Amino acid sequence: MEGFRCFLDTASLRIPQSPLPECVSGSSSQNPIGESHFDQTLEAAFSRLKVSSFCRQPQFSRFDGDCSNGSVIKYPTNDHGLGGENFIPFCNDELQSLNLNSGGNGVLSRLGLQNCWVQSDIDCSNDFVSNLNQHSDNSPHWLQASLNGWSVADLRGRVAFLATDQDGCRCLQRAMEAVPNKELIDLIFLEVLEHVATLMLDPHGNYVVQKLVEVCSEEQRTQMLLMLTKKNDLQLICISLDTRGTRSVQKLLKYVTTKEQITLIMRALSPGVVALSKNSNGQHVIEHCLEHFSVQDNEHLLHVVANNCCGIAKDKSGCCVLQKCVEHSNGKNRERLVAAITAKAIVLAVDRYGNYVLQHLLVLRMPQITENLLRQLRGSYMSLSCNKYGSNVVEKCLLDSGEEQSSQIIFELLTNRNVSMLLLHPFGNYVIQTALSVSKGVYHDALLNLVQLNSHVMRGNYYGQKVLAWRDRSLQHM
């Protein structure tokens, strides 16, 4: 296919302002420059111009630095406004906590991840790149029209560049969605496979990879996983931490079918379980593994989470992952995980995210888990009731435990010499209200008596008024 030629605009050519010869053959003195001379001058001007057949504009910035500790992904300059020697990292700060050993003490520097990039080895010297740059802005539909008339041979060597172009990636997706053409899919797969790590992070290329995962064969998916794991053991982790990369990885996980594929994935992700769990992008990859793989496949993952449960539970994304781990585990794996969480119950109860993990254990309403957790919190209910997050845990203990267990909590509160302080406390008043709602018999009467004895003080306090209002409403419905 002939390329689109990029000639200079002839309107920009101007007649030289320098003095012209006074006498030119075939002209009069009144006409110092004749038509023939003008034509010759214009023709000579064109002949002196060195106009290439294509406007070569590299689409990717270059990086010539030392990549001994990793390589660098080169993003299109038109997407990020960068050029020359600029480069963009995709690994965020969450990798600082990445450990190679399962929950070990290794730090990022020991893994050689200070410059953790994915190498882009796409050669931008191909003439097809200039066609993308020249026409993508002016003629949005030129590429579709061109592809309709192209054969598989015409696409050879150009798939990677098409995948990084907005119109090109759409055309490739449509081509794969159409009537299955094994020859076309095989060609796209081979050319995407060579640059798969880079394309999974590309604004447009990641969609091509996702569509390819849907239509390619089981054997080809295995080859893709091998490509993502054989060059760099941490490459799949880094891609999973990226906003675009995580979508590509999740799509790949969705179509995993064989034991070999699952083994490759879990072996590659295991060193980064902690970092992935505490990352807003990586958490979805971990959760996908928990939901779609068996407990046996996730056994090592659950072991790492159990060893690092406190740090994971105190993270915004990590607390969600930890709850999923409890849900999708059983037997000894669940026992180990729950025991690790319960051992840190006091610390987690007063944490802004960790308290949700404890509440989740109580919601399960499994007698053994609830009993072990309450035993760990025993003796601390008063101090927890005065804490913003701990008071939520105490309320959950009262609501989701049995009558005998809730009575023990209320007894511990009533026998504390500072119990009246809860009636006027910003958080403690909610614990008292919940205790009144679940208590029975002598414990309920004791709470009502406590409120009555302090009612004169409570009427002048905002939080005390809340407790009195709740008591009055409950008495009306008796």
Side-chain angles (χ1 to χ4, degrees), residues 113-305:
L113 283 177
Q114 298 90 333
N115 298 314
C116 184
W117 323 114
V118 174
Q119 175 67 43
S120 172
D121 49 2
I122 299 178
D123 180 12
C124 300
S125 61
N126 192 302
D127 292 335
F128 191 72
V129 179
S130 61
N131 294 344
L132 294 181
N133 289 336
Q134 180 179 351
H135 294 275
S136 60
D137 294 333
N138 299 328
S139 303
H141 303 295
W142 73 272
L143 191 55
Q144 178 63 56
S146 301
L147 280 177
N148 288 338
W150 282 10
S151 65
V152 173
D154 294 326
L155 283 172
R156 186 167 285 110
R158 294 167 171 168
V159 172
F161 299 114
L162 280 170
T164 59
D165 177 79
Q166 183 175 1
D167 297 316
C169 81
R170 291 173 180 172
C171 292
L172 288 173
Q173 291 178 73
R174 281 194 288 266
M176 289 186 281
E177 286 174 350
V179 180
N181 184 331
K182 188 177 185 305
E183 184 182 3
L184 174 64
I185 292 175
D186 289 345
L187 171 67
I188 294 175
F189 173 79
L190 288 174
E191 298 201 9
V192 166
L193 182 64
E194 187 178 356
H195 313 288
V196 63
T198 303
L199 293 177
M200 289 175 84
L201 301 169
D202 186 81
H204 308 301
N206 76 92
Y207 295 107
V208 175
V209 175
Q210 291 182 57
K211 179 56 65 176
L212 182 61
V213 168
E214 295 179 14
V215 300
C216 69
S217 66
E218 182 181 285
E219 182 182 353
Q220 288 172 330
R221 292 188 198 102
T222 302
Q223 293 180 40
M224 191 178 295
L225 282 170
L226 287 169
M227 178 63 72
L228 290 169
T229 57
K230 72 178 183 179
K231 288 185 178 180
N232 184 345
D233 292 339
L234 301 172
Q235 186 167 247
L236 192 63
I237 298 172
C238 294
I239 294 172
S240 299
L241 293 171
D242 180 78
T243 305
R244 303 183 185 99
T246 186
R247 294 196 294 263
S248 301
V249 174
Q250 289 175 65
K251 180 59 69 94
L252 187 56
L253 296 181
K254 183 179 180 181
Y255 285 86
V256 162
T257 54
T258 69
K259 186 69 176 178
E260 179 187 4
Q261 293 171 346
I262 294 174
T263 301
L264 285 171
I265 290 169
M266 299 312 297
R267 186 183 301 158
L269 294 180
S270 290
V273 169
V274 176
L276 291 169
S277 299
K278 297 168 68 174
N279 179 271
S280 59
N281 298 316
Q283 79 171 93
H284 299 296
V285 174
I286 297 296
E287 289 175 355
H288 190 100
C289 293
L290 293 168
E291 293 172 3
H292 296 89
F293 297 163
S294 68
V295 177
Q296 289 72 27
D297 294 329
N298 290 316
E299 186 171 5
H300 183 66
L301 184 154
L302 292 170
H303 183 71
V304 176
V305 171

Side-chain angles (χ1 to χ4, degrees), residues 31-147:
N31 184 18
I33 179 168
E35 290 183 4
S36 61
H37 179 80
F38 177 82
D39 293 339
Q40 291 174 4
T41 303
L42 188 60
E43 182 178 356
F46 270 112
S47 66
R48 289 192 298 271
L49 291 174
K50 296 180 180 180
V51 181
S52 170
S53 300
F54 302 97
C55 293
R56 301 179 186 274
Q57 300 176 3
Q59 200 169 1
F60 293 87
S61 60
R62 299 295 182 183
F63 176 70
D64 299 322
D66 180 17
C67 295
S68 58
N69 290 327
S71 48
V72 78
I73 177 171
K74 297 162 222 172
Y75 285 88
T77 57
N78 58 347
D79 286 330
H80 298 276
L82 297 176
E85 301 301 321
N86 293 313
F87 57 96
I88 295 180
F90 65 89
C91 292
N92 61 18
D93 294 336
E94 292 295 337
L95 271 177
Q96 296 297 330
S97 61
L98 185 61
N99 293 325
L100 256 180
N101 300 324
S102 304
N105 296 322
V107 293
L108 188 63
S109 58
R110 292 172 59 187
L111 302 180
L113 283 177
Q114 298 90 333
N115 298 314
C116 184
W117 323 114
V118 174
Q119 175 67 43
S120 172
D121 49 2
I122 299 178
D123 180 12
C124 300
S125 61
N126 192 302
D127 292 335
F128 191 72
V129 179
S130 61
N131 294 344
L132 294 181
N133 289 336
Q134 180 179 351
H135 294 275
S136 60
D137 294 333
N138 299 328
S139 303
H141 303 295
W142 73 272
L143 191 55
Q144 178 63 56
S146 301
L147 280 177

Side-chain angles (χ1 to χ4, degrees), residues 302-321:
L302 292 170
H303 183 71
V304 176
V305 171
N307 289 342
N308 298 272
C309 67
C310 189
I312 293 174
K314 294 168 74 173
D315 180 81
K316 183 178 181 180
S317 299
C319 74
C320 299
V321 172

